[in-house]
């Protein structure tokens, strides 16, 4: 089965299932059909989805009746109906369910590894708003996530089951789960007391630290993990309230710095954010003003698998925002020096296509092996686990074990990789690894610009053995950066990078069989050639990523050096498509003109004409045009405020002036091109 077929048929996105929620599922519509038609997730869908997951584990030989599976959640399910539905589904499939309650995703994965559970289920929509929910799945001994091939298997099984008579019977059943929140919580905290997981060497008692927990899964843990005794002062913001509201990593994406004046402004972008009010206040602390004590903030997302860092430089009256790429750059340099690694060329660093163009160049200059993957930390996990598996070869003496090892290595390098197959082979290998002592492989760090950082973690199992686990871990990222020899001057890249999103789109348009794909491909190819090819030393090539064949991806080379790239892809976690353009500074002027042209065409070709959000957006634009300085005060519901935010700060169709909101340059260009967003003017 080809990746193209999988991409069309699978219902999952980049990282599992996410979407808006509905507490009711109209009968007799099957929960899967309701999700596909309305894009709404219901408790019935959750119950069916994890039931099928449990049955798939058993069908594929990864679990048997009565085996254990761990389930955790972030705090968005206020009524507790989605977690109960998931418990019901897993238990009905024949598995024993242990619930660890509200904990970060890495804590749930660590506990799965520690108790040797067959799988973990995390109920979270990560950085998405509170009106959305989702499901992340992890395989037991490998801790891998689903790859596209696995997604399609699960989708096919769900299509057979959803709405069937067996489903109707299953949905009537209610179960209880064994509760082990405190055990999982203590184990996660203990993980960071192991200095190998944080490399704690630096005295932090002089630092003033602020934590933004995004009102999420880390809220009840931050006081234990960032203790007051460690710092001159520590403040915990956004530890209760609606998840990700006026908080969290996602709001910082695309921002490199913020002046103190901007942070204090009542009309500023982050004026409603408690974090920024606290930082602006602390910037006036005499200790900070005299540069006697550093002011640092760490910002997580809803399930705490992502992290950004903020540093205040008093001399410049500016807060500098450090994203995942920059954090990975600093952490890799620090870990390399700490481990005194002489053979950098054997060390693997991984980033995704969204990463800054300079990150891979810098790693290459340092002598690392650099892998660039498609979007999603599952592809980083693939490389991390491959490195880990290679460490066990010397322990295998049995011919059957060597045969399984060879199969496992081959499976991890297949284009259509399957986490099910890899985990089954890894499970089979354990018989031949009794003398194996866990140690990190050559994998040093993996990074996404969005703040997912993956490094090896030592985890102790219930039988007191040590294993190495890999999972995106925002808290570990924060502690590693805190204890590193941080240099703010080094925490910057001299490249140009822009992310151009279009929200509320028809994602079927941007597939290799969609009506827009080929048109956009021709436009981008021609535009790149016109913008960049000034002589024969410059070339443009299109690259097909097997993991994501529907993505348009182009690279620009000057002689043998990559100087720019551009890609357009559907988001796997949000209702949007984005164009990302990155280049070395020398090419930024032509890149900026190119960005404007392509962004306009994406608005005209991808955006849906009639959804609830688009109707709100039309009214926002109408207000701006009628009043020539609208205040948008009538847009008060959570959905309306979110659309205002996305229209202003993400799509940048409107901007705020002293007179109020008006059309931006891109908004005016769309009006000239007669976009349907302006139809209410007619």
């Amino acid at each position: 089965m080809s990746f193209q077929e999988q991409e069309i048929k699978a219902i999952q996105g980049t990282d599992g299932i996410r979407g808006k929620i509905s507490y009711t599922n109209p009968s007799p519509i099957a929960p899967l059909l309701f999700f596909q038609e309305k894009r709404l997730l219901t408790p019935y869908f959750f119950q069916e989805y994890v039931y099928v997951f449990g049955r798939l584990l058993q069908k594929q030989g990864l679990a048997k009746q009565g085996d254990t599976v761990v389930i955790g959640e972030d705090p968005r399910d206020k009524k507790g109906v989605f977690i109960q539905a998931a418990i019901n589904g897993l238990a009905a499939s024949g598995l024993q369910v242990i619930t660890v309650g509200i904990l970060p995703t890495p804590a749930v994965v660590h506990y799965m590894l520690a108790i040797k559970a067959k799988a973990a289920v995390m109920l979270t929509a990560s950085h998405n708003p509170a009106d959305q929910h989702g499901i992340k799945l992890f395989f037991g001994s490998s801790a891998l996530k689903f790859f596209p091939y696995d997604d399609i298997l699960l989708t096919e099984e769900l299509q057979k089951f959803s709405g069937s008579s067996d489903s109707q019977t299953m949905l009537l059943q209610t179960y209880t789960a064994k509760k082990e929140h405190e055990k999982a919580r203590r184990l996660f905290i203990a993980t960071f007391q192991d200095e190998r997981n944080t490399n704690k060497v630096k005295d932090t008692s002089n630092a003033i630290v602020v934590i933004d927990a995004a009102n999420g899964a880390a809220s009840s843990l931050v006081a234990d993990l960032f203790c007051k005794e460690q710092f001159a002062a520590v403040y915990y913001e956004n530890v209760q309230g609606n998840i990700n509201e006026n908080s969290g990593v996602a709001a910082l994406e695309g921002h490199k710095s913020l002046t103190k004046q901007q942070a204090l402004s009542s009309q500023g972008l982050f004026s409603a954010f408690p974090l920024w009010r606290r930082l602006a206040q602390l910037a006036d602390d005499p200790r900070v003003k005299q540069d006697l004590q550093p002011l640092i903030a760490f910002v997580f997302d809803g399930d705490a698998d992502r992290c950004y860092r903020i540093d205040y430089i008093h001399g410049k009256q500016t807060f500098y925002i450090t994203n995942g790429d920059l954090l990975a750059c600093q952490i890799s340099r620090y870990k390399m020096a700490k481990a005194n690694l002489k053979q950098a060329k054997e060390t693997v660093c991984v980033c995704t296509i969204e990463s800054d163009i300079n990150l891979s160049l810098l790693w290459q200059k340092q002598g690392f092996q650099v892998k660039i993957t498609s979007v999603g930390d599952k592809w980083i996990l693939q490389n991390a686990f491959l490195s880990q598996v290679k460490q066990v070869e010397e322990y295998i003496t049995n011919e059957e074990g060597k045969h399984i090892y060879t199969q496992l290595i081959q499976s991890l390098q297949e284009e259509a990789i399957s986490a099910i197959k890899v985990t089954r082979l890894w499970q089979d290998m354990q018989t031949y690894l009794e003398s194996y002592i866990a140690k990190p492989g050559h994998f040093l760090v993996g990074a996404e610009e969005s703040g997912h950082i993956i490094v090896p973690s030592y985890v102790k199992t219930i039988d007191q053995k040590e294993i190495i686990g890999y999972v995106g871990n925002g808290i570990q990222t924060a502690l590693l950066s805190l204890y590193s020899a941080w240099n703010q001057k080094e925490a910057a890249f001299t490249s140009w990078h822009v992310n151009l999103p279009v929200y509320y789109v028809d994602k079927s348009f941007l597939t290799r069989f969609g009506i827009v794909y080929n048109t956009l491909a021709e436009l981008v190819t021609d535009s790149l050639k016109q913008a960049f090819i000034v002589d024969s030393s410059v070339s443009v090539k299109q690259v097909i990523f097997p993991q994501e064949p529907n993505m348009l991806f182009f690279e620009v080379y000057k002689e043998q050096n990559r100087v720019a790239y551009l890609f357009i892809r559907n988001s796997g976690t949000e209702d949007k498509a984005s164009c990302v353009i990155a280049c070395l500074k020398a090419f930024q002027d032509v890149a900026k003109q190119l960005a404007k042209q392509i962004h306009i065409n994406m608005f005209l070709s991808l955006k849906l004409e009639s959804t609830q959000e688009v109707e709100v957006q039309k009214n926002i634009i109408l207000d701006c045009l009628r009043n020539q300085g609208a205040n948008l005060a009538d847009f008060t519901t959570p959905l309306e405020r979110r659309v205002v935010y996305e229209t202003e700060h993400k799509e940048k169709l409107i901007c705020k002036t002293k007179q109020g909101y008006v059309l931006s340059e891109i908004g005016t260009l769309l009006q000239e091109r007669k976009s349907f967003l302006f139809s209410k003017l007619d």
Side-chain angles (χ1 to χ4, degrees):
M1 182 179 295
S2 72
F3 271 98
Q4 295 175 25
E5 292 172 316
Q6 294 175 34
E7 191 73 23
I8 292 168
K9 293 179 65 177
I11 61 171
Q12 296 84 353
T14 304
D15 194 1
I17 288 286
R18 288 185 207 175
K20 292 182 182 178
I21 60 170
S22 170
Y23 288 99
T24 58
N25 193 110
S27 181
I29 303 176
L32 174 59
L33 183 61
F34 189 60
F35 171 66
Q36 289 173 319
E37 291 184 349
K38 303 294 185 181
R39 307 309 297 173
L40 291 172
L41 293 170
T42 66
Y44 282 170
F45 177 91
F46 271 48
Q47 192 163 340
E48 283 190 341
Y49 191 82
V50 299
Y51 172 85
V52 170
F53 172 54
R55 298 301 297 169
L56 184 65
L57 288 172
Q58 295 168 69
K59 182 178 179 180
Q60 295 291 332
L62 296 178
K64 61 183 185 298
Q65 290 277 305
D67 279 345
T68 299
V69 61
V70 175
I71 186 167
E73 60 175 327
D74 71 24
R76 70 184 69 224
D77 181 15
K78 305 295 186 185
K79 298 180 180 180
V81 295
F82 287 91
I83 182 67
Q84 185 58 54
I87 289 169
N88 292 343
L90 288 168
S93 76
L95 298 173
Q96 179 185 355
V97 184
I98 291 178
T99 176
V100 296
I102 296 172
L103 283 177
T105 291
V108 177
V109 173
H110 281 186
Y111 199 62
M112 171 192 74
L113 291 169
I115 67 171
K116 300 186 176 181
K118 297 301 181 182
V121 175
M122 179 67 185
L123 304 187
T124 179
S126 191
H127 62 280
N128 292 28
D131 64 348
Q132 300 182 31
H133 213 341
I135 305 172
K136 295 181 180 181
L137 303 175
F138 298 85
F139 289 103
S141 56
S142 68
L144 290 172
K145 292 182 174 181
F146 269 54
F147 294 112
Y149 184 83
D150 309 301
D151 283 337
I152 198 65
L153 287 180
L154 182 56
T155 299
E156 286 178 340
E157 294 296 322
L158 187 59
Q159 286 172 339
K160 297 173 189 174
F161 181 73
S162 185
S164 67
S165 57
D166 288 343
S167 169
Q168 295 302 313
T169 302
M170 185 271 295
L171 291 173
L172 296 174
Q173 299 170 336
T174 302
Y175 298 84
T176 56
K178 189 177 180 182
K179 298 179 180 180
E180 296 190 0
H181 172 78
E182 276 305 313
K183 287 183 179 179
R185 188 178 188 277
R186 286 198 300 270
L187 181 134
F188 190 57
I189 293 172
T191 299
F192 301 107
Q193 294 167 352
D194 185 334
E195 292 190 2
R196 292 172 298 177
N197 291 330
T198 57
N199 293 346
K200 182 177 180 180
V201 292
K202 185 179 177 183
D203 180 12
T204 58
S205 61
N206 199 41
I208 300 174
V209 174
V210 185
I211 305 296
D212 177 354
N215 299 316
S219 295
S220 65
L221 287 167
V222 290
D224 294 293
L225 294 167
F226 299 88
C227 306
K228 293 185 177 180
E229 294 76 19
Q230 294 175 270
F231 311 107
V234 59
Y235 301 87
Y236 312 112
E237 299 293 345
N238 302 308
V239 293
Q240 59 183 356
N242 290 329
I243 192 167
N244 296 318
E245 186 175 291
N246 295 328
S247 62
V249 160
L252 300 181
E253 289 181 348
H255 298 279
K256 294 183 178 180
S257 63
L258 198 73
T259 66
K260 177 186 169 186
Q261 186 176 3
Q262 289 171 325
L264 286 168
S265 171
S266 61
Q267 303 299 314
L269 171 59
F270 299 117
S271 59
F273 285 55
L275 167 71
W276 288 102
R277 288 199 294 268
R278 175 71 71 181
L279 286 173
Q281 173 192 356
L282 290 171
D284 285 329
D285 187 302
R287 298 168 294 180
V288 175
K289 291 173 77 171
Q290 296 173 38
D291 286 329
L292 297 175
Q293 294 179 311
L295 173 57
I296 306 165
F298 294 107
V299 184
F300 305 122
D301 66 339
D303 65 329
D305 65 351
R306 294 169 58 183
C307 175
Y308 271 26
R309 172 173 169 150
I310 302 170
D311 290 83
Y312 181 66
I313 307 299
H314 173 69
K316 296 185 177 181
Q317 297 277 291
T318 299
F319 296 95
Y320 290 92
I321 300 167
T322 306
N323 64 19
D325 290 339
L326 293 165
L327 283 166
C329 176
Q330 290 277 333
I331 289 170
S332 64
R333 185 183 287 119
Y334 167 60
K335 287 178 71 68
M336 197 66 181
K338 183 73 169 63
N340 194 26
L341 295 175
K342 304 295 184 184
Q343 300 297 321
K345 63 182 180 180
E346 297 180 3
T347 303
V348 178
C349 294
V350 185
C351 60
T352 76
I353 56 169
E354 285 187 317
S355 291
D356 191 287
I357 195 168
N358 271 330
L359 178 60
S360 57
L361 291 174
L362 184 143
W363 278 341
Q364 287 167 352
K365 287 178 181 177
Q366 291 177 323
F368 297 134
Q369 290 184 40
V370 180
K371 307 284 187 182
I372 301 177
T373 75
S374 190
V375 177
D377 63 346
K378 60 190 172 193
W379 305 112
I380 298 174
L381 290 171
Q382 174 191 7
N383 284 275
F385 193 63
L386 174 61
S387 173
Q388 185 64 34
V389 170
K390 288 180 177 179
Q391 296 299 300
V392 307
E393 184 178 15
E394 63 184 278
Y395 294 89
I396 304 170
T397 56
N398 180 283
E399 287 302 315
E400 178 61 24
K402 290 180 180 179
H403 177 66
I404 295 172
Y405 172 82
T406 301
Q407 285 185 299
L408 180 53
I409 293 293
Q410 290 173 347
S411 298
L412 274 162
Q413 295 174 318
E414 288 176 350
E415 182 178 294
I417 182 175
S418 166
I420 291 173
K421 181 180 179 181
V422 167
T423 304
R424 187 167 55 234
L425 288 167
W426 178 245
Q427 224 169 248
D428 292 344
M429 272 194 59
Q430 300 312 302
T431 305
Y432 308 100
L433 295 177
E434 290 184 3
S435 62
Y436 171 60
I437 299 173
K439 57 183 179 181
H442 292 301
F443 175 86
L444 186 68
V445 63
E448 288 194 284
E449 185 276 340
S450 59
H452 283 119
I453 307 290
I454 296 174
V455 296
S457 292
Y458 287 89
V459 179
K460 188 165 285 189
T461 65
I462 52 174
D463 54 4
Q464 298 304 301
K465 290 185 177 180
E466 280 190 340
I467 58 175
I468 303 294
Y470 298 93
V471 62
N473 192 333
I475 293 167
Q476 185 176 25
T477 300
L479 292 171
L480 279 169
S481 88
L482 188 65
Y483 298 139
S484 69
W486 191 260
N487 186 330
Q488 184 57 44
K489 291 182 180 179
E490 293 176 351
F493 290 138
T494 57
S495 57
W496 185 82
H497 182 279
V498 67
N499 188 323
L500 307 168
V502 177
Y503 282 77
Y504 333 125
V505 298
D506 187 331
K507 292 186 177 180
S508 69
F509 289 173
L510 197 57
T511 68
R512 301 190 82 178
F513 306 102
I515 60 176
V516 176
Y517 182 93
N518 289 333
T519 303
L520 271 177
E522 290 175 8
L523 169 70
V524 172
T525 302
D526 292 342
S527 300
L528 281 169
K529 288 179 178 178
Q530 291 175 19
F532 283 94
I533 296 183
V534 293
D535 56 52
S536 59
S537 67
V538 182
S539 60
V540 174
K541 69 175 182 178
Q542 184 174 0
V543 181
I544 302 296
F545 274 77
Q547 306 101 322
E548 196 171 347
N550 292 327
M551 173 177 61
L552 286 167
F553 188 91
F554 298 85
E555 292 179 316
V556 180
Y557 284 85
K558 184 173 177 58
E559 297 172 343
Q560 300 300 314
N561 300 313
R562 189 172 74 149
V563 297
Y565 68 78
L566 178 153
F567 67 83
I568 302 173
R569 67 181 292 272
N570 287 322
S571 169
T573 59
E574 297 180 71
D575 183 15
K576 68 177 183 180
S578 294
C579 173
V580 172
I581 305 176
C583 66
L584 300 182
K585 281 255 181 174
F587 296 89
Q588 68 178 357
D589 290 338
V590 293
K592 286 178 181 178
Q593 291 303 312
L594 176 68
K596 194 182 303 179
Q597 179 186 0
I598 292 175
H599 202 198
I600 288 289
N601 277 277
M602 288 174 63
F603 274 111
L604 295 172
S605 59
L606 296 176
K607 191 180 275 284
L608 286 163
E609 291 198 22
S610 183
T611 69
Q612 193 175 1
E613 288 88 353
V614 169
E615 290 305 311
V616 172
Q617 196 166 53
K618 288 178 182 177
N619 288 327
I620 291 169
I621 288 170
L622 184 64
D623 264 19
C624 290
L625 288 171
R626 279 181 174 170
N627 299 315
Q628 286 301 310
N631 62 24
L632 304 182
D634 293 334
F635 296 86
T636 57
T637 69
L639 183 142
E640 288 171 339
R641 295 311 304 168
R642 176 164 62 84
V643 175
V644 169
Y645 176 83
E646 288 168 349
T647 304
E648 179 187 5
H649 298 296
K650 298 295 186 177
E651 294 183 317
K652 295 181 169 57
L653 294 177
I654 59 175
C655 56
K656 202 169 190 180
T657 67
K658 291 181 179 179
Q659 289 72 38
Y661 287 96
V662 298
L663 284 187
S664 65
E665 180 187 8
I666 191 96
T668 302
L669 288 171
L670 278 175
Q671 184 183 16
E672 292 172 358
R673 294 287 296 273
K674 301 189 183 304
S675 164
F676 66 80
L677 289 173
F678 298 84
S679 59
K680 292 199 173 187
L681 289 174
D682 299 336

